[in-house]
C-alpha cells in the first residue's frame, strides 16, 4: 500500500483529490485521485475543529464526496475506515465547506485496543459518480486543540 504525503501540518490545506504543485515535501507535481490514502502528520482527533473543503468548476451531473478517516495502529498499519462527512455539489459547480470536530470522531470498536490516542492520521475522499476535471478536495484545520 502506498500513501501520498499531505502538508506536514493542516495549516493551509492538505489535498485529498486534485492537483498539487511541487513542494518542500514532494519534489514533483502530483494529482491525488479519488480514494487515494493520504497520511497526515496532524492527528485529527486532537483537533477541536477542522474542515473538509470541496469545489469543482462544473460537471455533467451532481457530485458527492465522502470523507473517510482511519487511525494508525500500534504496528504502524491503517485501522478501519470511518465515514466522517458526506457533501454534495450540483452539476453547475461551486464550493462547500463542512466543519468537523475531532473530538466527535468515533473509531471502530475493533481498533480501540490497538491505538494510542490521538491516532486519526489517515484520510481519503471518495468522489462519485466520477471526479470532474478541476475538482479539489482538501482538509484544513480551523481551530487547534
Amino acid at each position: 500500500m502506498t500513501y501520498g504525503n499531505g502538508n506536514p501540518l493542516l495549516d493551509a490545506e492538505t489535498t485529498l483529490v486534485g492537483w498539487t504543485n511541487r513542494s518542500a515535501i514532494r519534489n514533483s507535481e502530483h494529482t491525488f485521485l479519488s480514494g487515494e490514502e493520504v497520511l497526515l502528520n496532524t492527528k485529527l482527533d486532537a483537533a477541536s475543529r477542522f474542515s473538509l473543503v470541496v469545489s469543482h468548476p462544473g460537471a455533467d451531473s451532481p457530485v458527492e464526496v465522502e470523507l473517510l478517516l482511519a487511525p494508525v495502529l500500534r504496528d504502524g498499519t491503517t485501522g478501519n475506515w470511518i465515514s466522517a462527512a458526506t457533501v454534495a455539489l450540483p452539476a453547475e459547480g461551486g464550493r462547500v465547506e463542512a466543519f468537523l470536530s475531532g473530538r466527535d470522531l468515533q473509531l471502530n470498536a475493533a481498533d480501540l485496543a490497538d491505538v494510542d490516542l490521538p491516532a486519526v492520521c489517515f484520510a481519503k475522499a471518495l468522489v462519485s459518480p466520477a471526479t470532474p476535471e478541476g475538482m479539489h478536495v482538501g482538509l484544513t484545520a480551523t481551530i487547534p486543540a
Side-chain angles (χ1 to χ4, degrees), residues 43-50 100-104 141-145:
K43 296 196 170 60
L44 295 180
D45 49 341
S48 63
R49 193 164 91 167
F50 60 97
L100 302 142
S101 171
R103 295 182 180 123
D104 292 336
T142 54
I143 299 176

Side-chain angles (χ1 to χ4, degrees), residues 36-109:
E36 186 170 345
E37 296 180 21
V38 176
L39 173 61
L40 308 170
N41 289 338
T42 299
K43 296 196 170 60
L44 295 180
D45 49 341
S48 63
R49 193 164 91 167
F50 60 97
S51 61
L52 171 68
V53 181
V54 179
S55 65
H56 74 80
D60 294 334
S61 63
V63 178
E64 189 172 276
V65 175
E66 181 181 18
L67 172 64
L68 298 173
L69 303 173
V72 61
L73 302 179
R74 287 189 182 110
D75 65 1
T77 60
T78 306
N80 291 292
W81 292 94
I82 58 169
S83 179
T86 301
V87 298
L89 284 169
E92 294 79 24
R95 181 179 187 270
V96 65
E97 189 168 356
F99 294 101
L100 302 142
S101 171
R103 295 182 180 123
D104 292 336
L105 296 175
Q106 299 293 316
L107 298 180
N108 187 303

